[in-house]
Amino acid sequence: MYVSARSDYALRAMLAVAAGSDGGSDVGGGDGGDVGGGELVKAASLAEAQNIPLSFLQGILLDLRRAGLLHSHRGADGGYALTRPPDEITVGDVLRAVGGTLTTVRGLPAERAGYHGVAAGLTDVWLAVHGAIARVVDSTTLANLLTRHSTDHAPTTS
């Protein structure tokens, strides 16, 4: 699996929107929001907080909106919000929204990699790799990642 900058940025943006819509982040802006009554998150705030070029981020946000993971609200108080709660959006959902397939072999989806002769068994290997990756990314939600973040940074008491 190759994780492109686009995929990495998409996940970081979705996490920031999820954190902002929970009120659990300083990345936000505006009032309202559709998920959990949280705040709308502006693209410029996301870009700055996550160090993502704004023009590149805007294309990613459009893909995420088209995939039904985000909605956008126009206007001075506008921004982005999740369409579903963070525990219903998986890493796999985000990766597929911006990259199409999870695993490629020579630029083709793993299931289309065809071999013959002594290399025929490679198709099964690539499909097994694809399945393993899918299991991990489809069982990891944005909420899981946000929970890990909050427990990793929780103050310790002695």
Side-chain angles (χ1 to χ4, degrees):
M1 173 179 187
Y2 169 75
V3 179
S4 67
R6 184 175 190 79
S7 294
D8 181 58
Y9 290 165
L11 283 164
R12 289 166 43 197
M14 288 292 287
L15 287 166
V17 171
S21 63
D22 284 356
S25 170
D26 58 3
V27 177
D31 294 322
D34 298 319
V35 177
E39 295 182 351
L40 295 174
V41 182
K42 295 185 179 301
S45 297
L46 286 172
E48 183 178 336
Q50 292 299 314
N51 198 25
I52 302 171
L54 180 58
S55 59
F56 193 41
L57 178 61
Q58 288 172 327
I60 292 168
L61 294 172
L62 180 61
D63 286 345
L64 294 168
R65 191 174 59 87
R66 285 181 179 154
L69 299 175
L70 288 178
H71 15 179
S72 61
H73 301 271
R74 294 181 176 260
D77 291 333
Y80 290 88
L82 300 179
T83 58
R84 303 188 309 257
D87 63 345
E88 294 180 15
I89 299 174
T90 68
V91 169
D93 293 333
V94 177
L95 293 175
R96 288 181 187 94
V98 297
T101 186
L102 297 176
T103 315
T104 61
V105 178
R106 297 182 322 268
L108 296 173
E111 61 272 6
R112 292 190 45 209
Y115 299 94
H116 46 59
V118 297
L122 283 175
T123 301
D124 292 336
V125 171
W126 302 143
L127 290 174
V129 167
H130 176 80
I133 291 168
R135 278 188 297 280
V136 171
V137 300
D138 290 339
S139 65
T140 305
T141 66
L142 298 180
N144 297 143
L145 295 171
L146 292 172
T147 300
R148 287 181 195 162
H149 169 75
S150 65
T151 59
D152 287 348
H153 295 86
T156 57
T157 56
S158 300

